[in-house]
Amino acid sequence: MIIDDLRSLPAAPLIVAEGGPITPAMVKPETQAVWLIPSRDVQVARLQVRHRGDVPWSYLQSLEPILEQLAETAITTIFVDPLTVEETIAEVERVFAHRISEGPTAVTSEENRRLLRDANQALVNQYASRSTRPLAPIESDKVVRTFDCECAMRTCAALVDLAIGDAAAAVTSTPPTILAPGHSA
């Protein structure tokens, strides 16, 4: 269903699909894809932060099969341990330079804010969907996820942790409504 969801998205703006159970074997050879691979130690450390210490066992089991599948494909792999966030972004931009140059790109703050809102809305929609967890519905006031700050400053990479219910309410209003502390429109 994830692959079907990704295929149903428009060609523009460009989409970054992160995480989830997508494997290299699911990606068509002509698909534009890149895998960012951490070492096991870095993977565990990042998952502990993301899941507040409680790392799902299945996440730890997924790295080896993905590495095996990547070895059998021509999909670009970037090993992220020695790279800063900025260097990782630069590498991904290098891989997709031809697609990025085709655009569209956000030139104005308003266009950038619209893209940030689209990303935040997509995350809210993912959790609001009946198909997300049909057997274990989420409590939207308790499940906290990370959203993009909508201040739209070019240098802003701030993230905002919000309960899904609070984010759902925020995205019903004109952006920016999801702002990092100290940020404004």
Side-chain angles (χ1 to χ4, degrees), residues 20-153:
I22 300 171
T23 66
M26 300 165 89
V27 177
K28 293 180 181 180
E30 70 277 7
T31 301
Q32 294 295 316
V34 62
W35 252 257
L36 305 178
I37 302 293
S39 67
R40 171 67 72 186
D41 290 342
V42 168
Q43 180 193 32
V44 169
R46 290 179 181 175
L47 287 170
Q48 285 175 333
V49 169
R50 182 180 292 175
H51 294 277
R52 293 157 177 76
D54 187 22
V55 178
W57 177 82
S58 60
Y59 283 28
L60 299 177
Q61 300 306 311
S62 65
L63 186 58
E64 293 306 317
I66 286 175
L67 288 171
E68 290 170 12
Q69 289 177 27
L70 285 168
E72 298 171 3
T73 71
I75 295 173
T76 301
T77 304
I78 299 172
F79 293 93
V80 298
D81 284 15
L83 305 176
T84 65
V85 170
E86 292 78 16
E87 291 168 334
T88 302
I89 291 169
E91 279 299 299
V92 171
E93 288 174 341
R94 182 188 58 74
V95 170
F96 294 117
H98 66 285
R99 290 292 308 274
I100 293 169
S101 68
E102 293 170 2
T105 58
V107 177
T108 68
S109 292
E110 189 54 41
E111 291 170 332
N112 192 31
R113 185 172 290 118
R114 194 172 332 119
L115 292 174
L116 293 165
R117 172 52 61 92
D118 287 348
N120 287 338
Q121 181 70 59
L123 186 55
V124 167
N125 291 349
Q126 178 185 2
Y127 279 87
S129 168
R130 291 182 165 270
S131 63
T132 302
R133 300 175 195 274
L135 300 176
I138 66 160
E139 295 181 52
S140 63
D141 61 328
K142 294 183 181 173
V143 175
V144 174
R145 290 296 175 257
T146 302
F147 294 86
D148 293 308
C149 176
E150 295 176 351
C151 72
M153 292 185 301

